[in-house]
């Protein structure tokens, strides 16, 4: 005899913390997520965008890694040898800045510590943080191959970086140049163009007068950076500008420093900007640098690396650049050499790490020639070998690639991959991973060679990530199996910094793109649409959400809240919806298991005989849902797929099918074949939802199958992902059920609005337009009688409205619900009128508040929006109450 309790779930309430900890341990110990390079299965691989070791993960990381995990879990279920390689980035500038601040608090500096000890200290700190980050990823449910975790400064990746540098150097694609670079005075290092973020500032245009030598005439120059005039070595005008032709070849006297500089003609000058005369400062502006080369001008640097001005600035030496500006402008005014000042909206470059305004700065740096490397990466997009999702991001990629500039790769730091160049005393250079041997540096003593002090840009290691992590430059089994990867999931901010560079390096070193698809997701914003950031304090800690609601709630909420290709607006309340959905799934599963009454659940094969209309309907809806989910995955529209599943589970399965198959009497068994359908559909729900909510689905599946220990045979990790075959799809049937659902919904709405007690039943009168609609209702009344609380059904094309009844109009019918024996009409009138009066008073007060200009101007935007939403709610409720009162008063 079967035990009626054997299918009952372990707990009445879902406990995410207990389930997640247990399943994480089991998944990891049994290496479910370890990709086998010798597998004959088709490959589906992803390399994680390595998070920086400098901080804990934020909601942006949670969204990014949830998307990756959804994709990898789905394809692992679909029969692929799935490999998701995790890791972290050493984050050169950001990490060094943090550790320097730490040692400063201890009363020392990195210079006093020395390079070796400082790097050891930074390594220790980075590895501690790295472990914290990996733990966070695990708690989110990321099914990474933890055995293959990599770090951009580990031994293998360092070897790859050195080999790459030497290869490009020997190929003539890496060179050292004396050029204008972006310089961060705070981080004291150069930055590539793509590491500079432009921000708008309220600034000024200063109009400075330069006296023509030997004349009383002046030329006026407009500038946004007056302090750089101390490094001027010329003025320039356009050769076609008739106003200034007579001055070309003459000289002016540089204000304050009284230095004589020439007036040159150059086509770069825009006659329409400012006065049509520009100051030329070759050491502090990239365009001026080029003008200087064309006219053989002197290059005078006025800045120190920390942003103070040097001895070339005369009496301003030692001042901060902005203090020097302030004093210089004052002195120009005192001397009558400042013609005027105008307000100006300035777009200035800032450091992407510390947000300090960067300076164009002339220095010796290492560069990569990018034009040649870009050619195959451009062709990849044109030929379809590289695809962006959404597709419009391909235009951003192409615009940057077709206008690419050389990449400054040297950084004046200690933390990072040290540049593998060695210098002899006479300046001769040798490229080598280690100190060159006597054979490598013939004519020089190897002991006298000195390695370059600088390190490489962090992105120089990251652009090799898709293949260096699998063992390149060695020809490993992992590299052969898992490269190229399938998809890169990332945000739009690093299309230039990382995505494009990885494509270039993939073609240069592996002969093919590192991935075929790039999935760009939105940027996480707060409830007011402001980008979440640590500095603004508007971020949400994903671990706090996991602790409160569970990892599945975090994951499904993020995917549901992120419209495909758009930015999600998220508050802490966002995750309540995910929590409620996870609980709903657990509770409906618990109900189904309890009603099995000891029978073995039908999970894998369903006998499709003896199916009633509602059985066939839920199977049709299931097939249609699977089709939409398949389309969502194929088109990288995961939010659409998740919303489709959410609606199917919550509405079709829980709210309709489970309610429809419940008998009127609670103790009566559910029809056996309907229970078979219920468990069969539930099993497919678990498989479909597993990539999005893996913990609760694995837990329910284990309870459903009475699994004590997970293995590759019973875990959802390897269960076949549902594939639609169209077998059960029935359009006509779905249309019929939609009509029944509209009737039930209308009746429920009337009962709710008129405050009918749930326990009271009523007759239902339906006037149908077509007899077929009436027959449909009459033939299936036994299934929805309980849902609509119907006693007797009266249905025909001639049905008349009974006295004292409420009505509703739906497509193809009019519904009447007699209420005489259900409610106290007079009492209900008073209740409705009282509610209506209260709402009208509240609406009047709120309308006055929203008409108050002071309130609109001073209240926070989220408060204003909340009040506007409240007004709409009041108006809708008043409209419904009026409608209900009209029905009752009409009696």
């Amino acid at each position: 005899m079967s035990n009626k309790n054997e299918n009952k779930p372990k707990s009445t309430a879902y406990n995410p913390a207990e389930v997640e900890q247990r399943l994480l341990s089991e998944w990891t110990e049994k290496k479910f997520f370890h990709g086998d390079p010798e597998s004959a299965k088709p490959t589906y691989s992803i390399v994680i965008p390595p998070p920086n070791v400098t901080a804990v993960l934020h909601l942006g990381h949670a969204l990014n890694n949830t998307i990756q995990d959804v994709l990898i879990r789905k394809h692992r279920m679909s029969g692929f040898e799935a490999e998701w390689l995790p890791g972290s980035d050493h984050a050169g500038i950001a990490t060094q800045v943090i550790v320097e601040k730490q040692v400063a608090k201890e009363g020392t500096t990195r210079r006093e510590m020395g390079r070796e000890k400082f790097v050891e200290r930074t390594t220790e700190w980075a590895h501690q943080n790295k472990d914290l980050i990996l733990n966070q990823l695990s708690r989110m449910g990321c099914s990474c191959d933890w055995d293959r975790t990599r770090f951009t400064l580990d031994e293998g990746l360092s070897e790859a970086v050195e080999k790459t540098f030497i290869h490009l150097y020997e190929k003539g694609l890496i060179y050292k140049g004396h050029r204008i670079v972006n310089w961060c005075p705070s981080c004291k290092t150069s930055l590539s163009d793509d590491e500079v973020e432009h921000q708008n500032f309220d600034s000024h245009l200063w109009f400075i007068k330069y006296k023509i030598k030997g004349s009383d005439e002046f030329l006026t120059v407009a500038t946004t950076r007056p302090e750089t005039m101390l490094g001027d070595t010329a003025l320039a005008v356009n050769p076609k500008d008739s106003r200034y032709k007579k001055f070309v070849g003459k000289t002016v006297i540089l204000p304050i420093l009284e230095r004589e500089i020439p007036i040159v003609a150059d086509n770069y000058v825009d006659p329409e900007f400012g006065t049509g005369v520009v100051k030329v400062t070759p050491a502090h502006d990239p365009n001026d640098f080029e003008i200087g080369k064309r006219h053989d001008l002197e290059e005078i640097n006025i800045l120190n690396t920390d942003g103070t001005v040097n001895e070339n600035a005369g009496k301003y030496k030692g001042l901060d650049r902005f203090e020097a500006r302030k004093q210089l402008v004052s002195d120009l005014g005192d001397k009558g050499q400042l013609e005027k000042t105008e307000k100006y909206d300035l777009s200035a470059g800032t450091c992407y790490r510390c947000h300090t305004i960067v300076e164009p700065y002339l220095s010796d740096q290492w560069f990569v020639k990018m034009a040649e490397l870009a050619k195959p990466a451009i062709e990849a997009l044109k030929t379809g070998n590289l695809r962006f999702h959404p597709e419009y991001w391909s235009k951003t990629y192409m615009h940057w690639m077709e206008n690419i500039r050389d990449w400054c790769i040297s950084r004046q730091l200690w933390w990072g991959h040290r540049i593998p160049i060695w210098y002899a005393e006479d300046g001769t250079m040798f490229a080598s991973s280690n100190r060159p041997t006597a054979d490598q540096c013939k004519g020089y003593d190897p002991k006298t060679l000195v390695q370059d002090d600088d390190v490489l840009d962090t992105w120089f290691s990251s652009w090799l990530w898709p293949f260096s992590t699998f063992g390149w430059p060695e020809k490993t089994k992992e590299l052969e199996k898992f490269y190229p990867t399938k998809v890169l999931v990332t945000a739009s901010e690093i299309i230039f910094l990382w995505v494009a560079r990885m494509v270039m390096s993939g073609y240069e070193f592996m002969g093919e793109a590192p991935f075929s698809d790039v999935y760009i997701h939105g940027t996480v914003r707060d409830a007011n649409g402001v980008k979440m950031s640590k500095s603004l304090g508007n971020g949400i800690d994903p671990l706090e959400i996991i602790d409160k609601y569970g990892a599945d709630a975090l994951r499904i909420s993020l995917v549901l809240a992120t419209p495909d290709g758009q930015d999600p607006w998220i508050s802490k309340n966002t995750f309540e919806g995910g929590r409620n959905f996870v609980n709903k799934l657990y509770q409906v599963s618990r109900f189904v298991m309890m009603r099995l009454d000891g029978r073995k659940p039908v999970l894998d094969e369903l006998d499709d005989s003896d199916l009633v209309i509602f059985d066939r309907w839920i199977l049709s809806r299931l097939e249609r849902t699977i089709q939409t989910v398949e389309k969502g995955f194929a088109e990288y529209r995961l939010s659409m797929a998740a919303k489709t599943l959410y609606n199917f589970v919550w509405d079709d399965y829980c709210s309709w099918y489970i309610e429809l198959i419940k008998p009127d009497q609670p103790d009566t068994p559910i029809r056996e074949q309907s229970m078979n359908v219920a468990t069969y559909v539930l099993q497919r729900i678990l498989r479909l939802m597993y990539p999005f909510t893996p913990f609760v689905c694995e837990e329910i599946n284990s309870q459903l199958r009475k699994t004590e220990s997970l293995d590759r045979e019973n875990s959802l990790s390897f269960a076949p992902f549902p594939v639609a075959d169209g077998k059960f799809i029935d359009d006509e049937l779905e249309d019929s059920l939609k009509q029944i659902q509209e009737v039930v919904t209308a009746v429920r709405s009337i009962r709710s609005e008129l405050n009918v007690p749930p326990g009271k039943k009523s007759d239902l009168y339906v006037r149908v337009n077509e007899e077929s609609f009436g027959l449909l209702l009459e033939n299936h009344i036994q299934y929805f009688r309980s849902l609509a609380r119907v006693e007797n059904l009266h249905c025909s094309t001639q049905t008349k409205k009974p006295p004292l009844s409420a009505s509703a109009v739906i497509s193809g019918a009019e519904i009447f619900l007699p209420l005489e024996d259900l409610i106290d009409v007079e009492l209900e009138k008073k209740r409705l009128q009282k509610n209506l009066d209260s709402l009208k008073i509240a609406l009047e007060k709120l309308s006055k508040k929203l008409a108050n200009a002071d309130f609109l101007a001073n209240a926070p935007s989220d408060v204003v929006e909340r009040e506007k939403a409240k007004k709409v709610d009041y108006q809708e409720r008043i409209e419904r109450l009026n409608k209900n009162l009209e029905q009752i008063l009409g009696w």
Side-chain angles (χ1 to χ4, degrees):
M1 179 180 284
S2 63
N3 181 355
K4 290 191 175 185
N5 294 317
E6 65 181 1
N7 286 108
K8 288 186 178 180
K10 298 175 183 177
S11 173
T12 58
Y14 180 60
N15 183 347
E18 184 275 325
V19 170
E20 288 166 14
Q21 185 177 8
R22 171 165 44 82
L23 289 178
L24 282 174
S25 297
E26 200 163 2
W27 286 337
T28 304
E29 288 169 9
K30 295 179 178 177
K31 299 187 182 298
F32 279 3
F33 311 138
H34 184 67
D36 181 3
E38 297 182 347
S39 169
K41 294 179 182 178
T43 301
Y44 190 94
S45 58
I46 300 176
V47 288
I48 200 170
N52 292 338
V53 295
T54 50
V56 295
L57 302 186
H58 51 65
L59 270 190
H61 292 110
L63 172 61
N64 178 271
N65 287 288
T66 294
I67 291 170
Q68 291 177 81
D69 195 52
V70 169
L71 292 170
I72 207 77
R73 285 184 186 269
K74 188 269 181 187
H75 286 86
R76 189 180 289 119
M77 296 173 74
S78 297
F80 288 83
E81 189 60 38
E83 169 66 24
W84 184 17
L85 186 145
S88 52
D89 193 291
H90 65 279
I93 296 174
T95 303
Q96 178 157 321
V97 168
I98 289 172
V99 178
E100 283 199 67
K101 288 179 180 178
Q102 289 180 353
V103 299
K105 289 180 181 178
E106 297 165 9
T108 186
T109 66
R110 67 178 171 110
R111 298 285 179 190
E112 291 173 353
M113 292 177 70
R115 185 168 195 145
E116 186 176 344
K117 286 189 176 179
F118 179 79
V119 170
E120 285 178 3
R121 170 72 177 267
T122 309
T123 301
E124 180 183 352
W125 181 88
H127 280 284
Q128 289 174 350
N129 244 40
K130 176 169 67 74
D131 292 340
L132 289 173
I133 288 170
L134 295 175
N135 178 61
Q136 288 176 301
L137 289 172
S138 177
R139 285 200 61 193
M140 289 177 197
C142 294
S143 59
C144 297
D145 184 352
W146 303 109
D147 291 339
R148 291 197 173 99
T149 301
R150 303 305 299 267
F151 180 51
T152 50
L153 270 178
D154 68 27
E155 186 177 348
L157 269 66
S158 296
E159 180 188 348
V161 167
E162 291 164 354
K163 183 177 178 67
T164 298
F165 183 97
I166 294 169
H167 165 84
L168 295 176
Y169 176 78
E170 292 177 347
K171 196 174 179 179
L173 294 178
I174 283 183
Y175 65 94
K176 192 171 189 179
H178 190 63
R179 292 178 50 178
I180 293 284
V181 296
N182 306 294
W183 186 267
C184 176
S186 177
C187 298
K188 297 184 182 64
T189 185
S190 61
L191 303 170
S192 70
D193 292 338
D194 308 303
E195 292 172 311
V196 175
E197 296 176 345
H198 286 269
Q199 296 182 24
N200 292 323
F201 296 90
D202 293 329
S203 186
H204 296 87
L205 265 179
W206 288 273
F207 290 77
I208 302 171
K209 295 161 65 176
Y210 290 68
K211 188 175 185 299
I212 307 291
K213 183 183 179 183
S215 168
D216 292 332
E217 293 184 276
F218 291 86
L219 289 180
T220 301
V221 174
T223 180
T224 59
R225 298 161 66 215
E227 68 281 3
T228 61
M229 64 159 282
L230 300 170
D232 286 356
T233 54
L235 294 186
V237 299
N238 191 289
K240 296 180 181 178
D241 193 335
S242 58
R243 295 173 296 174
Y244 302 118
K245 279 187 176 180
K246 65 180 181 179
F247 297 114
V248 175
K250 295 185 177 182
T251 59
V252 295
I253 305 301
L254 181 67
I256 305 298
L257 294 183
E258 302 295 322
R259 182 161 34 84
E260 189 175 340
I261 59 175
I263 303 170
V264 300
D266 196 279
N267 287 319
Y268 167 76
V269 181
D270 179 3
E272 303 299 321
F273 179 78
T275 62
V277 183
V278 299
K279 54 190 284 305
V280 183
T281 319
H284 295 289
D285 183 278
N287 297 309
D288 291 4
F289 178 77
E290 298 300 330
I291 294 175
K293 290 298 182 187
R294 289 193 288 271
H295 298 276
D296 196 25
L297 300 176
E298 186 181 1
E299 298 162 349
I300 300 176
N301 174 26
I302 65 155
L303 289 173
N304 296 312
T305 58
D306 62 357
T308 57
V309 293
N310 61 25
E311 64 278 0
N312 291 327
K315 69 176 185 176
Y316 307 106
K317 176 185 176 182
L319 294 177
D320 174 77
R321 53 184 167 153
F322 296 120
E323 179 58 31
R325 174 185 295 180
K326 183 179 178 181
Q327 291 193 23
L328 173 66
V329 168
S330 176
D331 291 344
L332 287 170
D334 292 343
K335 289 178 174 289
Q337 293 174 312
L338 185 64
E339 185 174 291
K340 61 178 179 177
T341 302
E342 293 180 355
K343 290 184 177 180
Y344 187 73
D345 293 329
L346 177 67
S347 176
T350 62
C351 175
Y352 81 117
R353 283 297 175 198
C354 66
H355 308 296
T356 300
I357 294 179
V358 301
E359 287 289 341
Y361 190 77
L362 187 61
S363 66
D364 292 325
Q365 302 290 343
W366 287 95
F367 298 86
V368 178
K369 294 179 181 178
M370 301 298 282
E372 194 64 29
L373 293 172
K375 289 178 181 178
I378 292 172
E379 194 63 22
L381 189 68
K382 291 181 176 179
T383 58
N385 290 327
L386 180 69
R387 297 176 293 274
F388 279 82
H389 310 276
E391 193 277 333
Y392 56 77
W393 287 112
S394 61
K395 296 178 182 177
T396 303
Y397 170 90
M398 188 62 79
H399 176 76
W400 185 77
M401 294 295 277
E402 291 180 338
N403 295 276
I404 201 164
R405 289 188 281 183
D406 288 358
W407 174 17
C408 177
I409 57 171
S410 46
R411 298 291 180 270
Q412 288 62 56
L413 305 168
W414 285 355
W415 175 244
H417 298 96
R418 194 167 178 180
I419 293 175
I421 289 290
W422 300 77
Y423 300 93
E425 291 180 357
D426 62 3
T428 302
M429 294 183 289
F430 302 94
S432 178
S433 298
N434 302 300
R435 181 178 294 278
T437 63
D439 290 337
Q440 289 176 305
C441 60
K442 289 180 179 178
Y444 297 90
D445 181 356
K447 294 179 182 178
T448 64
L449 301 183
V450 178
Q451 188 174 0
D452 197 303
D453 272 336
D454 292 349
V455 300
L456 290 162
D457 179 7
T458 295
W459 299 102
F460 196 86
S461 54
S462 300
W463 78 324
L464 311 176
W465 186 254
F467 50 90
S468 63
T469 49
F470 289 122
W472 186 90
E474 300 300 320
K475 294 182 179 179
T476 64
K477 291 183 295 184
E478 289 80 4
L479 186 62
E480 183 179 356
K481 177 66 176 175
F482 299 123
Y483 186 91
T485 63
K486 174 57 181 173
V487 61
L488 175 76
V489 180
T490 188
S492 61
E493 300 97 288
I494 54 176
I495 289 178
F496 311 141
L497 285 168
W498 194 43
V499 179
R501 289 172 180 163
M502 281 192 290
V503 177
M504 288 186 274
S505 70
Y507 277 103
E508 176 67 17
F509 297 102
M510 298 297 296
E512 57 185 323
F515 31 75
S516 57
D517 296 87
V518 181
Y519 178 19
I520 304 291
H521 59 73
T523 298
V524 177
R525 300 181 180 277
D526 66 17
N528 298 314
V530 179
K531 181 179 177 181
M532 287 189 180
S533 72
K534 187 177 180 180
S535 60
L536 292 175
N538 63 344
I540 297 174
D541 181 0
L543 291 189
E544 179 185 337
I545 301 301
I546 292 174
D547 289 339
K548 187 173 183 179
Y549 299 123
D552 286 332
L554 171 78
R555 293 163 61 104
I556 192 65
S557 298
L558 285 172
V559 178
L560 288 170
T562 305
D564 298 308
Q566 300 177 42
D567 294 347
W569 291 26
I570 291 176
S571 68
K572 288 186 178 179
N573 293 338
T574 301
F575 303 98
E576 292 180 4
R579 183 269 319 274
N580 294 341
F581 177 75
V582 170
N583 286 342
K584 184 82 167 179
L585 179 57
Y586 187 80
Q587 292 302 329
V588 75
S589 302
R590 180 172 175 268
F591 170 81
V592 169
M593 285 185 271
M594 290 179 69
R595 296 308 295 264
L596 281 169
D597 294 327
R599 296 194 304 271
K600 184 178 180 180
V602 172
L603 303 176
D604 301 313
E605 295 294 334
L606 177 68
D607 178 2
D608 59 4
S609 63
D610 192 29
L611 298 175
V612 296
I613 184 172
F614 298 107
D615 298 332
R616 290 186 284 116
W617 170 77
I618 194 65
L619 292 170
S620 180
R621 293 295 304 138
L622 173 64
E623 284 280 340
R624 204 175 296 281
T625 297
I626 294 172
Q627 285 183 341
T628 306
V629 171
E630 285 177 343
K631 180 179 172 67
F633 274 104
E635 297 176 355
Y636 291 95
R637 298 176 64 191
L638 300 190
S639 182
M640 178 189 80
K643 286 175 182 175
T644 300
L645 285 170
Y646 181 98
N647 293 334
F648 175 75
V649 173
W650 195 288
D651 297 332
D652 294 344
Y653 188 71
C654 297
S655 298
W656 286 103
Y657 183 68
I658 294 299
E659 294 300 319
L660 284 166
I661 67 173
K662 284 180 181 178
D664 286 345
Q665 301 302 319
D667 295 333
T668 304
I670 295 175
R671 182 175 173 272
E672 183 174 349
Q673 182 65 330
S674 291
M675 277 305 303
N676 291 340
V677 171
T679 54
Y680 175 84
V681 173
L682 177 59
Q683 174 63 197
R684 268 125 206 90
I685 286 173
L686 297 178
R687 294 183 187 185
L688 289 164
M689 286 302 311
Y690 176 74
F692 299 94
T693 53
F695 293 105
V696 70
C697 290
E698 188 83 279
E699 176 67 6
I700 294 168
N701 186 63
S702 294
Q703 294 183 20
L704 195 56
R705 294 179 179 273
K706 296 176 290 181
T707 301
E708 294 299 327
S709 177
L710 291 177
D711 57 37
R712 289 176 177 259
E713 296 299 319
N714 59 38
S715 171
L716 285 178
S717 296
F718 306 98
F721 194 81
V723 177
D725 59 14
K727 176 181 177 181
F728 290 110
I729 288 184
D730 189 330
D731 294 335
E732 186 176 341
L733 177 69
E734 289 191 37
D735 289 341
S736 296
L737 259 295
K738 186 177 181 182
Q739 291 179 301
I740 294 175
Q741 287 174 319
E742 287 179 351
V743 170
V744 174
T745 301
V747 173
R748 283 175 155 182
S749 179
I750 291 172
R751 292 176 64 93
S752 173
E753 293 288 350
L754 294 177
N755 207 30
V756 176
K760 288 190 176 183
K761 290 187 177 183
S762 169
D763 283 3
L764 176 62
Y765 292 77
V766 183
R767 182 191 299 148
V768 294
N769 295 348
E770 302 287 342
E771 290 288 355
S772 57
F773 193 175
L775 288 172
L776 175 71
L777 296 178
E778 289 171 351
N779 291 338
H780 298 94
I781 180 62
Q782 71 269 31
Y783 294 107
F784 67 89
R785 186 189 302 277
S786 179
L787 277 178
R789 311 302 293 160
V790 173
E791 194 75 63
N792 299 298
L793 174 66
H794 308 272
C795 186
S796 75
T797 57
Q798 303 301 316
T799 299
K800 293 183 179 180
K801 180 179 181 179
L804 293 175
S805 64
S807 64
V809 178
I810 64 171
S811 178
E814 192 170 1
I815 293 169
F816 309 112
L817 192 68
L819 298 172
E820 186 175 10
D821 297 326
L822 297 182
I823 61 173
D824 183 323
V825 175
E826 291 304 317
L827 194 62
E828 183 62 15
K829 283 181 184 178
K830 290 179 182 178
R831 187 187 71 82
L832 290 174
Q833 189 62 57
K834 182 180 179 181
N835 288 347
L836 184 61
D837 292 342
S838 297
L839 276 173
K840 284 182 176 178
I841 293 170
L843 177 62
E844 184 179 359
K845 289 181 179 178
L846 187 57
S847 296
K848 288 180 180 178
K849 187 177 185 179
L850 288 171
N852 186 319
D854 289 339
F855 170 74
L856 296 176
N858 298 318
S861 59
D862 60 324
V863 173
V864 174
E865 290 305 313
R866 193 161 56 240
E867 295 298 278
K868 287 181 179 179
K870 192 187 295 183
K871 180 179 179 181
V872 172
D873 177 57
Y874 285 172
Q875 291 170 332
E876 290 176 349
R877 287 162 63 186
I878 287 171
E879 184 180 351
R880 289 198 302 271
L881 285 171
N882 276 325
K883 182 179 177 182
N884 295 335
L885 259 178
E886 286 171 10
Q887 290 211 49
I888 293 178
L889 291 173
W891 300 341

